[in-house]
Amino acid sequence: MGRSPCCELEAHTNKGTWTKEEDELLVNYMTLHGQGCWRSLPKAAGLLRCGKSCRLRWINYLRPDLKRGNFTQEEDEIIIKLHSLLGNKWSLIAGRLPGRTDNEVKNYWNTHIKRKLIRRGIDPQTHHPLNGATATAITDNDRICLEFRSPTPSSSGTTEETQPHSQLQDKQNTANAVNLELSIGLPSNSTSLSKVPGQFFRPVVTPPPCAPVLAKALCLCWRLGFQNGQLCKCQTRNGLYR
DNA sequence: AATGGTCTCAACCGCGTCACT
DNA sequence: TAGTGACGCGGTTGAGACCAT
């Protein structure tokens, strides 16, 4: 597959820290026109930056809905739990933390939480105890169910769409037997896969063949034990959890 | 006050994926 | 089916802030 020449190869593009003037130009443009084609944005906005740089600056720093400031204890715990389930899927983790970006979560993980876990005697990568393998924060069976319910990288559709029925049945049985309810809802065929941060875990309108899924099971915060917390933005809308 | 080490986080880089032709 | 263009993600880097001596 051919890749487009990176825009940073273009002449006359600035790099490094953004100036106040550049920020203003980008904010003004985004306010007026909203998010569109990043590649053409710099020229349209009068910026000497590549589109990639503009996108990053907007998403990680200039977006109006960003929550600045320290992470709360509740956010810490959510990150730790989600990381134990998802690994380094920073965008997915950030999607469950309103106002936080993947870059912010990633940095926070690397600078704070890693150390915090090590102090607790937990391996930050495996979430297993550092001194041995007696107890596990997450089991292999957890992963089986998660992987089953998560989109496969090689597929543009859902897992259910691409797997033979017999394989699905096997995994159904596994999931049902384990019944860890670590369900992550996939967008249904009738709804497009949202790329908006925070909306990845959309409800499965038609319950997948994995198991009879209750509405509550679709709320990841609920599954993680944060259903009563302020950070759980999942709420029923037309009877669905989102 | 000066210096050197450490930490933080904004920004960059390269690659995978998707949509379109 | 293959090629192309663009976006998004995760890993890495480096400048500046902070701290200890």
Side-chain angles (χ1 to χ4, degrees):
Chain A
M1 289 293 191
R3 282 205 293 132
S4 61
C6 190
C7 47
E8 55 260 31
L9 294 177
E10 292 170 11
H12 311 306
T13 54
N14 292 340
K15 280 188 175 183
T17 310
W18 279 62
T19 65
K20 202 176 174 182
E21 290 73 28
E22 287 177 314
D23 280 350
E24 282 174 9
L25 282 171
L26 182 54
V27 168
N28 288 341
Y29 183 87
M30 294 301 291
T31 305
L32 286 173
H33 301 92
Q35 189 171 315
C37 175
W38 288 112
R39 195 175 173 84
S40 60
L41 182 148
K43 200 174 181 181
L47 284 160
L48 293 175
R49 291 273 179 175
C50 72
K52 213 171 180 177
S53 180
C54 294
R55 177 186 157 271
L56 211 63
R57 183 64 177 171
W58 174 257
I59 289 175
N60 287 331
Y61 200 81
L62 298 174
R63 247 169 49 197
D65 59 327
L66 285 181
K67 183 200 287 185
R68 313 297 299 179
N70 295 337
F71 281 74
T72 64
Q73 187 63 37
E74 192 179 13
E75 286 175 311
D76 273 20
E77 295 305 320
I78 286 180
I79 292 169
I80 291 167
K81 288 197 176 189
L82 284 174
H83 188 273
S84 75
L85 296 172
L86 303 168
N88 294 357
K89 300 293 178 188
W90 306 118
S91 61
L92 289 181
I93 294 171
R96 300 307 303 181
L97 296 167
R100 301 296 187 187
T101 70
D102 53 356
N103 208 32
E104 201 177 5
V105 171
K106 181 172 59 183
N107 282 333
Y108 188 64
W109 174 270
N110 286 326
T111 56
H112 292 91
I113 299 185
K114 257 186 178 175
R115 251 177 281 155
K116 185 174 171 177
L117 288 178
I118 289 169
R119 261 187 272 117
R120 289 184 188 176
I122 296 169
D123 185 324
Q125 275 312 310
T126 64
H127 294 264
H128 293 178
L130 280 169
N131 56 353
T134 51
T136 57
I138 182 169
T139 68
D140 289 341
N141 285 336
D142 294 342
R143 294 192 193 283
I144 290 169
C145 192
L146 260 179
E147 284 161 11
F148 172 53
R149 301 295 308 281
S150 301
T152 55
S154 58
S155 166
S156 59
T158 63
T159 307
E160 295 92 315
E161 285 175 332
T162 55
Q163 296 202 347
H165 181 71
S166 58
Q167 287 181 21
L168 283 175
Q169 199 63 49
D170 288 345
K171 289 187 174 180
Q172 278 178 41
N173 294 338
T174 304
N176 287 336
V178 177
N179 192 26
L180 290 167
E181 295 192 274
L182 289 165
S183 307
I184 297 173
L186 292 175
S188 71
N189 293 343
S190 59
T191 57
S192 61
L193 178 61
S194 170
K195 292 187 176 181
V196 177
Q199 295 187 8
F200 182 81
F201 298 110
R202 285 194 153 210
V204 179
V205 177
T206 305
C210 170
V213 181
L214 296 173
K216 284 174 186 174
L218 297 171
C219 168
L220 190 58
C221 294
W222 185 284
R223 304 258 54 78
L224 293 175
F226 293 102
Q227 66 273 25
N228 295 322
Q230 290 181 338
L231 286 170
C232 180
K233 60 179 179 180
C234 307
Q235 49 191 297
T236 54
R237 180 175 292 177
N238 299 327
L240 299 169
Y241 265 74
R242 61 181 297 276

